[in-house]
Amino acid sequence: SQQGEEDPQALSIQEGENATMNCSYKTSINNLQWYRQNSGRGLVHLILIRSNEREKHSGRLRVTLDTSKKSSSLLITASRAADTASYFCATDEGGAQKLVFGQGTRLTINP
Amino acid sequence: IAGITQAPTSQILAAGRRMTLRCTQDMRHNAMYWYRQDLGLGLRLIHYSNTAGTTGKGEVPDGYSVSRANTDDFPLTLASAVPSQTSVYFCASSVRGGEQPQHFGDGTRLSIL
């Protein structure tokens, strides 16, 4: 069962613009994580936000979490061509010690 | 360089054959995972292991088996491959389950004919 659902499925923007991706989930969580996947490679962890946190920053990444709406957003500021990748959110199923991944957002940064 | 090594990187296999995908990590992580990634379906958990000597079933375990004889290795076996098992398989590990970031290998691309 898919816990996280990303929106949009695909996003294409110009280099230098900001990119926003959204994730919704269904059940209570302890934390939500975002991952990046470059073509032909494995996933790389970007950031983890706990259920008692509302916002977290890491470099050009900003993640928000709204537990009342069961949603999260990932903002990438000042996008670069190297940011072209698929981005996935993942949640823990109420402490089940496992992550459930969404289907991902495919981000394309046009030079 | 510390990380996860998966082998083979790709394989074409006849239906009905047995196949073992290898996964080794050198980070001394307790938890390890196997996922399959299919277009439009994202990553789905096949099996996991929270610590050496224990394993558990994920979302799509049928047709697959795993073992965790030691901390570093977590092989995935397809006893009798079927075409629906054509996929990209990723192994991952984390210090502990759930609240810890997972580290992924670069995958095994498996085609069952």
Side-chain angles (χ1 to χ4, degrees):
Chain A
S1 60
Q2 294 290 336
Q3 170 78 313
E5 298 285 342
E6 283 94 342
D7 170 60
Q9 291 187 352
L11 178 62
S12 181
I13 62 174
Q14 295 300 119
E15 194 166 19
E17 294 179 340
N18 296 340
T20 299
M21 288 157 274
N22 303 297
C23 169
S24 60
Y25 57 93
K26 297 184 178 70
T27 64
S28 64
I29 62 171
N30 294 311
N31 70 79
L32 184 145
Q33 302 180 35
W34 285 91
Y35 288 79
R36 183 188 74 231
Q37 184 180 33
N38 291 95
S39 180
R41 303 298 301 273
L43 278 71
V44 174
H45 178 261
L46 294 176
I47 198 165
L48 181 152
I49 187 166
R50 301 190 190 284
S51 59
N52 61 353
E53 297 175 310
R54 290 296 168 259
E55 187 170 312
K56 205 162 183 180
H57 297 254
S58 177
R60 294 183 295 112
L61 305 181
R62 172 177 166 250
V63 168
T64 62
L65 179 64
D66 187 334
T67 53
S68 66
K69 294 181 179 178
K70 293 187 170 58
S71 67
S72 173
S73 67
L74 171 67
L75 168 68
I76 303 174
T77 60
S79 63
R80 305 167 182 169
D83 294 328
T84 293
S86 292
Y87 292 81
F88 296 86
C89 69
T91 59
D92 61 338
E93 290 182 88
Q97 303 297 305
K98 303 189 292 288
L99 290 181
V100 179
F101 287 81
Q103 296 181 19
T105 293
R106 190 171 63 255
L107 175 65
T108 302
I109 309 299
N110 301 305
Chain B
I1 298 176
I4 290 191
T5 302
Q6 290 187 239
T9 55
S10 65
Q11 182 78 43
I12 298 173
L13 190 68
R17 298 296 296 269
R18 181 184 178 89
M19 175 75 189
T20 295
L21 307 185
R22 299 185 299 279
C23 175
T24 299
Q25 54 106 355
D26 60 4
M27 296 172 284
R28 308 301 293 172
H29 285 173
N30 288 316
M32 297 187 75
Y33 314 85
W34 274 105
Y35 297 91
R36 59 178 291 174
Q37 185 176 33
D38 302 288
L39 194 63
L41 295 176
L43 274 82
R44 292 181 291 169
L45 182 66
I46 304 171
H47 284 287
Y48 67 96
S49 169
N50 284 330
T51 189
T54 68
T55 62
K57 293 181 179 180
E59 181 185 353
V60 288
D62 294 343
Y64 305 95
S65 63
V66 292
S67 61
R68 187 88 184 277
N70 57 61
T71 297
D72 299 342
D73 301 299
F74 192 42
L76 176 73
T77 297
L78 288 68
S80 179
V82 295
S84 61
Q85 292 177 311
T86 293
S87 188
V88 182
Y89 291 86
F90 288 97
C91 180
S93 71
S94 64
V95 174
R96 296 188 296 277
E99 65 181 36
Q100 297 296 318
Q102 292 186 11
H103 299 256
F104 283 77
D106 279 336
T108 293
R109 284 141 192 82
L110 186 61
S111 295
I112 313 296
L113 305 179

